[in-house]
Amino acid sequence: MKRRRSAALVGVLGLIGALIAVMPAGAGEPAPAAGLKWAACPADVVTAPLTAECATVPVPLDYSDPDGTRIELMVSRIASTKPEKRRGILMFNPGGPGGTGLDQPAFLAGKGLPASVMDTYDLIGMDTRGVGHSTPMSCGLTEDLGYWANVPPYAPDDQAVSAQAKIAQAVAERCAATDKDDRLRHLTTANMARDLDSIRAALGEKKASFYGASYGSALGSAYVSLFPDSTDRIVLDSNLAGTHLDRDGLRRFARGVEDTFPDFARWAAERHASYGLGRTPAQVRKTYFALAERLDRTPAADGTTGAVFRYLTFVHLYGDVQYGALARTWQTLLSPGDTPPPPATDAAQANDQALTVFLAVTCNDVEWPEDVATYRKAVAEDRKRYPMFGAAAANIIPCAYWKHEAAEPVKIDKKAKGEVLLIQNRRDPVTPEINAKLLRQKYGQRATLVTAEDSGHGVYVLGGNACALNLTTSYLVDGTMPARDTTC
């Protein structure tokens, strides 16, 4: 899962680029690690007009064998130019698993990350193990497999679940056959958390702060749980309910769609004269089902099916900035004979790396049911309970046929050191509010939850809630945690 910055999502976030040398360390700062060689970032990593630089950090492929095979992680840095204000480093993860993050500091800075945060920290982005400019890992996924997104397609009946099971099995078998060096089993949230601490050490820092969104919230939870002594200020945004994505978490995507769709429906109803999708929110919802069912029977000229239409709607609910594009797509689909723009899922089919890492981490972190009947039952239940998207989020994924046994998931200890700030929109299509409440319970008194009365995936900087922005900035800069759970 990833935070969205455009309509084309499938489990990955973008890239950054170009860069220069950083300011020398100021008084009181740790000396930079001697082994890191900073240079311009790769040309496809766009950070302009900010100044940044990139370096590679070697880490063990298998942390139980630290002297064995090494892989490389590429990190980016936008340095604080105020040594007198600098506290340390703030690492970022934009989501996934499988999202590239070298550009995340520059992206958030471009969206309005406060100058006080940029003064307080060197901003550290990274491509996690397996993706982007870090050592790549691949299942060799190709379009012919029919696996195009990290959320399975909507299944209108049992037969569709059985058909998807064949695709899921073929994908898992492709991953197993391609993984000749047995590397995929080392793609876990726990290992990515260990990578974060390796990056901290390589940068010569005693402690690291962390901001993670979407799946990044699970990674941050694993990081602070495994390394309470070397983590500093932790902000988790748009939360999963623990240290990994499990089957319940994936099924809750459907709840998120039901929670968030009314915001789009109201928006579209107010603009009926422009888009013709319905004069009331209820009529817009009716249009959704009518379109989905029609496309189930007869796909559009460009191949858009009911399942693709539902997925397109899901990913466009990530923020109201995308509502116009979604309304235009619906409008085009409503006109017989017209062909809508290519669906966002096209980009996913070529994204072997991102889908590989999403699958490997998700399947390796926890056990998934292996019986197709279990998924058929869940799909039937959720098709009724969450009719918009339930039969997609509950559908079978390749984890049901995964080669490797699940690793022991990282556990959150209520009594451990390290406080955590949780921030969450009330209505989120991917990580619904219930996730943050469940995560808050797991942390106990260690966590404080700030709930924004807002809609979309992403609160800090990307959201429009001033109160949540101010509270998060205050915590990152001054260490001031809200006195209690707060609704903004």
Side-chain angles (χ1 to χ4, degrees):
M1 290 162 320
K2 289 179 65 226
R3 164 188 306 268
R4 293 289 295 149
R5 55 181 81 160
S6 71
L9 161 105
V10 68
V12 192
L13 286 152
L15 313 160
I16 28 182
L19 324 200
I20 69 174
V22 77
M23 300 285 291
E29 297 175 272
L36 289 190
K37 296 180 180 179
W38 295 98
C41 291
D44 63 348
V45 179
V46 180
T47 60
L50 298 172
T51 57
E53 56 193 351
C54 282
T56 56
V57 178
V59 299
L61 173 66
D62 180 356
Y63 277 91
S64 68
D65 182 17
D67 297 323
T69 301
R70 312 283 284 182
I71 58 174
E72 289 188 334
L73 307 175
M74 183 169 282
V75 300
S76 65
R77 175 170 68 175
I78 297 175
S80 167
T81 60
K82 303 288 180 63
E84 71 280 4
K85 295 183 178 181
R86 183 185 182 278
R87 178 180 179 84
I89 60 171
L90 175 60
M91 297 193 285
F92 294 84
N93 182 271
T100 57
L102 281 173
D103 68 337
Q104 192 68 4
F107 170 69
L108 290 176
K111 293 295 183 181
L113 185 69
S116 56
V117 175
M118 299 182 70
D119 291 344
T120 303
Y121 300 99
D122 291 349
L123 309 181
I124 308 297
M126 70 199 69
D127 284 347
T128 55
R129 57 172 55 202
V131 300
H133 292 282
S134 295
T135 300
M137 300 186 196
S138 169
C139 280
L141 301 177
T142 52
E143 291 188 17
D144 62 286
L145 289 172
Y147 178 67
W148 45 266
N150 53 16
V151 182
Y154 185 91
D157 51 34
D158 282 352
Q159 184 178 357
V161 179
S162 298
Q164 183 61 23
K166 294 179 181 178
I167 293 173
Q169 183 174 5
V171 169
E173 289 174 351
R174 176 73 61 86
C175 290
T178 305
D179 186 25
K180 298 185 185 305
D181 296 329
D182 199 31
R183 291 192 167 200
L184 292 185
R185 68 186 178 92
H186 300 294
L187 286 170
T188 65
T189 299
N191 278 340
M192 288 183 176
R194 295 178 182 112
D195 290 343
L196 292 177
D197 205 56
S198 294
I199 292 169
R200 173 203 60 78
L203 292 171
E205 302 286 339
K206 292 183 179 180
K207 288 180 176 285
S209 294
F210 178 83
Y211 168 86
S214 196
Y215 166 76
S217 68
L219 178 56
S221 288
Y223 183 34
V224 74
S225 296
L226 290 175
F227 300 99
D229 293 326
S230 58
T231 46
D232 191 14
R233 295 171 184 170
I234 307 294
V235 177
L236 307 181
D237 187 340
S238 304
N239 297 273
L240 292 179
T243 61
H244 51 268
L245 174 64
D246 59 14
R247 182 164 170 259
D248 289 340
L250 184 58
R251 288 179 71 176
R252 282 194 291 268
F253 285 19
R255 178 168 177 170
V257 171
E258 296 285 350
D259 289 347
T260 310
F261 183 81
D263 294 302
F264 169 72
R266 282 191 295 271
W267 183 96
E270 291 168 356
R271 294 161 177 81
H272 175 74
S274 294
Y275 297 108
L277 304 184
R279 298 182 183 279
T280 66
Q283 289 177 356
V284 175
R285 183 179 173 91
K286 185 176 180 180
T287 299
Y288 172 88
F289 288 111
L291 263 175
E293 290 165 8
R294 192 190 85 193
L295 291 167
D296 280 335
R297 295 189 303 270
T298 308
D302 72 338
T304 299
T305 63
V308 170
F309 167 73
R310 290 174 188 266
Y311 181 80
L312 277 171
T313 299
F314 161 64
V315 299
H316 280 76
L317 296 178
Y318 275 56
D320 59 10
V321 69
Q322 301 183 124
Y323 287 179
L326 178 59
R328 186 180 64 246
T329 298
W330 282 33
Q331 185 180 35
T332 307
L333 286 166
L334 283 168
S335 302
D338 288 350
T339 301
T345 52
D346 285 355
Q349 293 180 335
N351 206 339
D352 171 33
Q353 248 186 30
L355 291 173
T356 293
V357 174
F358 173 84
L359 272 181
V361 173
T362 303
C363 301
N364 288 335
D365 274 356
V366 290
E367 295 285 353
W368 288 71
E370 298 177 0
D371 183 4
V372 178
T374 300
Y375 294 92
R376 289 197 196 101
K377 181 175 183 292
V379 166
E381 291 172 351
D382 287 4
R383 189 186 298 117
K384 293 180 180 179
R385 182 167 51 169
Y386 304 121
M388 301 195 77
F389 204 59
N395 204 353
I396 191 167
I397 68 173
C399 294
Y401 302 96
W402 198 244
K403 170 185 175 182
H404 302 293
E405 294 296 321
E408 184 69 25
V410 178
K411 295 181 180 179
I412 296 171
D413 183 355
K414 290 183 179 181
K415 298 180 180 180
K417 293 191 300 182
E419 62 182 12
V420 177
L421 177 62
L422 309 178
I423 55 178
Q424 177 71 41
N425 280 329
R426 182 76 73 192
R427 300 173 302 284
D428 185 316
V430 192
T431 54
E433 180 190 12
I434 184 62
N435 285 3
K437 291 181 176 179
L438 291 170
L439 187 60
R440 172 70 178 81
Q441 291 174 4
K442 291 178 181 178
Y443 276 109
Q445 296 304 308
R446 296 175 60 195
T448 302
L449 173 61
V450 172
T451 303
E453 291 287 359
D454 212 339
S455 177
H457 193 48
V459 179
Y460 190 53
V461 179
L462 296 183
N465 191 290
C467 165
L469 174 75
N470 291 338
L471 289 174
T472 305
T473 298
S474 180
Y475 171 63
L476 286 172
V477 174
D478 301 322
T480 304
M481 181 71 80
R484 62 186 63 84
D485 291 350
T486 302
T487 297
C488 287

